[in-house]
């Protein structure tokens, strides 16, 4: 049994009172009530989950919260998947919550993957003009990325996560044991967000992923805990320095501008998971960097070899979407300025940087060349 590790997310002085702990261990779902009470006192709780996760963990979590003295409202349970991340579902969630007459002592408890964390966090940010929330991420992708940092939101027809708010959780419980129930494809998709931190500014961590990826994806708890710890530590450092993405935090979007466009073109469904889109997006960012003479071709080849070895995709299919559609989605990215696209590019593995002012015509040419390449994925 692995020992629980506590990692503090220390926000700057002006954010006093909003710093919080991330607990990373095995079996933390059975300790959630006590952990919440120790930090926030006994509270009114609203669990938000999806139908798949609820079958596994909703009743045990609810019983644990009640046993610790919390007052649990009737939970919100929505259909699983990115397709639920919309205004209609969000409105139903809010009305369900308000129909139970919550007060400002309410804590929204996000139990699930990235979709649930984003939507529950957004609900907490606007319900009664803002209440506390706790993240209990049950996927690798959520544990290493979306549950940390306070980005919340829903999707629009114009793109992913274009409606939302920055709203930090009060506690994150990353239960490694919950990852045992993930299908292999979903675990691999989450691993792409782990690898991303190595590509951004931690080349030694990328090498660690190369050395340990196969055993980690086979379910080794100690390796999974280390991956979550290192990923959360990397993200916490960036968030503490740039909470609302005025500068350096944009680096966390490596692979996401290309990836979000592919994900939107695929319909935000099971055809392409978010983590798979990010894996492809990172390859495209490196390839674009190589073509611009910024990055050694050897680093792109190394990343693609790693993806092939771990089963991650790295090349979009020719049918991934028509180029005007992909450009439209990229044009709606929140990082863009003055009608030009901002990408996160790299001078090599572990050397990512923000590249503003890229003309759409250059990206159009790149897409045309990329989509004509034969797909060679893991």
């Amino acid at each position: 049994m692995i020992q629980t590790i506590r990692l503090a997310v220390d926000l700057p002085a002006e954010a006093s009172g909003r710093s919080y702990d991330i607990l990373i261990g095995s079996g933390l779902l059975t300790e959630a009530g006590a952990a919440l009470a120790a930090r926030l006192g006994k509270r009114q709780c609203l669990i938000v989950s999806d139908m798949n996760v609820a079958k596994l963990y909703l009743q045990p979590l609810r019983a644990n919260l009640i046993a610790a003295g919390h007052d649990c409202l009737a939970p919100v349970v929505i259909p699983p998947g990115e397709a639920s991340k919309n205004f209609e579902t969000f409105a139903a969630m809010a009305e369900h919550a308000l129909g139970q007459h919550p007060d400002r002592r309410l804590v929204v408890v996000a139990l699930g993957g990235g979709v649930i964390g984003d939507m529950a966090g957004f609900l907490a940010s606007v319900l009664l003009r803002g209440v506390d929330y706790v993240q209990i991420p049950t996927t690798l992708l959520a544990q290493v990325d979306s549950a940390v940092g306070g980005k919340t939101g829903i999707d629009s027809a114009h793109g992913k996560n274009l409606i939302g708010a920055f709203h930090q959780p009060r506690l994150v419980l990353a239960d490694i044991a919950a990852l045992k129930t993930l299908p292999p494809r979903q675990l691999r998709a989450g691993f792409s967000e782990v690898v991303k931190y190595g590509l951004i500014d931690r080349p030694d961590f990328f090498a660690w992923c190369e050395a340990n990826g196969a055993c980690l994806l086979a379910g080794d708890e100690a390796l999974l805990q280390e991956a979550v710890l290192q990923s959360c530590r990397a993200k916490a450092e960036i968030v503490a320095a740039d909470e609302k993405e005025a500068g350096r935090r944009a680096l966390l979007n490596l692979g996401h501008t290309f990836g979000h466009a592919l994900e939107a073109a695929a319909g935000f469904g099971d055809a392409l998971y978010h983590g798979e889109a990010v894996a492809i997006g990172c390859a495209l960012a490196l390839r674009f960097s190589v073509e611009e003479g910024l990055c050694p071709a050897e680093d792109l080849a190394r990343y693609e070899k790693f993806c092939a070895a771990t089963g991650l995709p790295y090349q979009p299919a020719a049918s991934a979407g028509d180029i005007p559609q992909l450009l439209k989605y990229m044009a709606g990215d929140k990082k863009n300025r003055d009608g030009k696209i901002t990408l996160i590019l790299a001078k090599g593995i572990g050397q990512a940087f923000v590249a503003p002012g890229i003309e759409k015509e250059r990206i159009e040419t790149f897409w045309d060349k990329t989509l004509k390449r034969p797909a060679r994925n893991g």
Side-chain angles (χ1 to χ4, degrees), residues 7-216:
L7 176 66
V9 180
D10 292 319
L11 296 174
E14 60 268 25
S16 178
R18 293 193 291 108
S19 298
Y20 55 94
D21 286 341
I22 304 169
L23 301 184
I24 308 165
S26 185
L28 295 181
L29 272 162
T30 63
E31 303 170 12
L36 197 156
R39 287 162 177 79
L40 303 178
K42 296 178 181 179
R43 302 285 288 271
Q44 189 181 62
C45 296
L46 174 71
I47 301 172
V48 177
S49 192
D50 69 47
M51 293 172 182
N52 290 342
V53 175
K55 291 175 185 174
L56 297 169
Y57 304 120
L58 177 57
Q59 290 309 318
L61 174 61
R62 192 168 188 273
N64 185 266
L65 291 171
I66 292 171
H70 303 288
D71 175 21
C72 283
L73 303 182
V76 173
V77 180
I78 65 173
E82 194 80 25
S84 290
K85 201 173 167 183
N86 55 49
F87 267 121
E88 292 75 17
T89 305
F90 182 77
M93 291 169 59
E95 293 295 344
H96 175 91
L98 292 170
Q100 300 182 73
H101 309 293
D103 57 43
R104 286 204 168 103
R105 292 174 52 253
L106 180 71
V107 177
V108 176
V109 180
L111 174 67
V115 169
I116 289 297
D118 284 358
M119 294 188 75
F122 188 34
L123 179 66
S125 76
V126 297
L127 202 65
L128 305 180
R129 295 199 174 101
V131 298
D132 291 334
Y133 79 112
V134 170
Q135 288 270 18
I136 306 181
T138 58
T139 67
L140 181 59
L141 189 147
Q143 290 185 4
V144 302
D145 183 51
S146 58
V148 179
K151 277 188 177 181
T152 75
I154 57 176
D155 299 336
S156 156
H158 299 283
K160 188 177 171 73
N161 295 327
L162 294 181
I163 302 139
F166 288 96
H167 191 56
Q168 297 290 346
R170 298 297 304 276
L171 176 67
V172 179
L173 299 177
D175 191 341
I176 301 301
L179 304 181
K180 293 177 181 178
T181 61
L182 291 181
R185 181 188 171 196
Q186 200 167 8
L187 189 65
R188 280 197 306 273
F191 188 44
S192 70
E193 291 279 10
V194 174
V195 175
K196 177 193 73 176
Y197 293 106
L199 295 175
I200 291 171
D201 61 0
R202 298 180 179 231
D204 290 345
F205 185 54
F206 181 77
W208 182 91
C209 291
E210 287 178 305
N212 295 287
C215 292
L216 181 152

Side-chain angles (χ1 to χ4, degrees), residues 289-302:
S289 300
V290 169
E291 293 192 6
E292 294 292 301
L294 301 167
C295 175
E298 292 81 4
D299 283 23
L300 169 62
R302 180 182 172 191

